Amino acid sequence: SYELTQPPSVSVSPGQTARITCSGDALPKQYAYWYQQKPGQAPILVMYKDSERPSGIPERFSGSSSGTTVTLTISGVQPEDEADYYCQSTDSSGTYWMFGGGTKLTVL
Amino acid sequence: QVQLVESGGGVVQPGRSLRLSCAASRFTFRSYGMHWVRQAPGKGLEWVAIIWYDGSNKYYADSVKGRFTISRDNSKNTLYLQMNSLRAEDTAVYYCARDNRGEGMDVWGQGTTVTVSS
């Protein structure tokens, strides 16, 4: 079955750049989306269509795509960015949605 | 502001059924596809199902196919998830989310908790 693969954890110091990757065979053909989830809260969309930022999301969040890997980059990480981040996409047919396993971002 | 409110969660025995509801407000519900997404305790997000804006298409995760049914009543601005033959592994917080026409799941409810236990 199709999967999206993320690193379980990423750690950075405040002010540094965090990069969270997501790999999947269908990503060259299907857009990726990114969600931030803090403990006890519902997820929030932070990136859509690989690199588009929803209104209200800080400019330090950006996205990129290269082949079978998409990347969420957080420049100048703030303590409030500490959260779980999930990528999401569909299979090549566009009829099966899925999430990556999630990456816990720790701000040291 | 735009809002989704889930209800219907609770404790249920294995093999029994439960129906979740998701009430939408302050947006044109009938114009958007809707998802159910769940999260088991301490685990990641798992997509469950989607229904097209008009109910014409429905797709399910393999883990729930044949047991769960997604539906909607656009006259009541409400999304449903009928869950039959429940298993312990269905224990999770269930979220409904709006599909913003290819621009991601941009609105989420607060979730409702389902516990399957004898």
Side-chain angles (χ1 to χ4, degrees):
Chain A
S1 61
Y2 182 53
E3 291 182 349
L4 296 173
T5 302
Q6 298 179 235
S9 63
V10 169
S11 298
V12 295
S13 298
Q16 289 189 326
T17 297
R19 293 180 179 85
I20 301 173
T21 59
C22 173
S23 298
D25 288 342
L27 289 177
K29 288 190 270 188
Q30 301 292 356
Y31 285 121
Y33 304 80
W34 290 94
Y35 301 85
Q36 176 195 70
Q37 187 182 33
K38 296 181 179 180
Q41 298 183 18
I44 296 172
L45 178 70
V46 297
M47 200 66 56
Y48 66 94
K49 288 185 176 179
D50 294 346
S51 59
E52 299 292 326
R53 195 173 53 248
S55 61
I57 301 302
E59 291 184 6
R60 63 180 181 272
F61 287 83
S62 63
S64 62
S65 175
S66 179
T68 58
T69 299
V70 294
T71 303
L72 177 69
T73 300
I74 310 172
S75 304
V77 168
Q78 302 296 307
E80 60 265 31
D81 298 330
E82 185 165 285
D84 293 325
Y85 290 84
Y86 295 89
C87 65
Q88 175 260 306
S89 187
T90 61
D91 69 353
S92 55
S93 72
T95 61
Y96 199 96
W97 279 251
M98 69 206 65
F99 290 91
T103 299
K104 181 175 181 60
L105 175 65
T106 300
V107 181
L108 302 169
Chain B
Q1 68 275 25
V2 172
Q3 192 173 27
L4 295 171
V5 178
E6 301 95 336
S7 61
V11 180
V12 60
Q13 292 180 329
R16 307 286 284 201
S17 299
L18 203 61
R19 189 178 81 156
L20 306 182
S21 299
C22 168
S25 57
R26 300 187 187 91
F27 70 96
T28 307
F29 179 71
R30 64 179 180 274
S31 297
Y32 292 86
M34 295 293 297
H35 295 269
W36 285 100
V37 176
R38 68 184 181 182
Q39 187 169 35
K43 302 297 185 181
L45 301 174
E46 180 186 15
W47 174 75
V48 173
I50 184 175
I51 185 168
W52 256 224
Y53 70 99
D54 60 355
S56 60
N57 285 295
K58 306 172 186 180
Y59 298 103
Y60 298 90
D62 291 342
S63 57
V64 307
K65 199 174 298 183
R67 299 188 300 124
F68 289 12
T69 301
I70 189 171
S71 62
R72 64 192 298 159
D73 186 336
N74 285 345
S75 68
K76 296 182 178 179
N77 291 338
T78 303
L79 173 73
Y80 302 100
L81 185 67
Q82 177 67 42
M83 303 186 295
N84 298 332
S85 303
L86 283 161
R87 306 166 179 167
E89 53 265 36
D90 297 319
T91 294
V93 175
Y94 284 74
Y95 297 99
C96 59
R98 186 177 81 170
D99 186 297
N100 191 11
R101 302 161 180 153
E103 296 188 354
M105 302 178 198
D106 68 333
V107 180
W108 294 67
Q110 85 290 349
T112 187
T113 300
V114 173
T115 302
V116 183
S117 174
S118 54

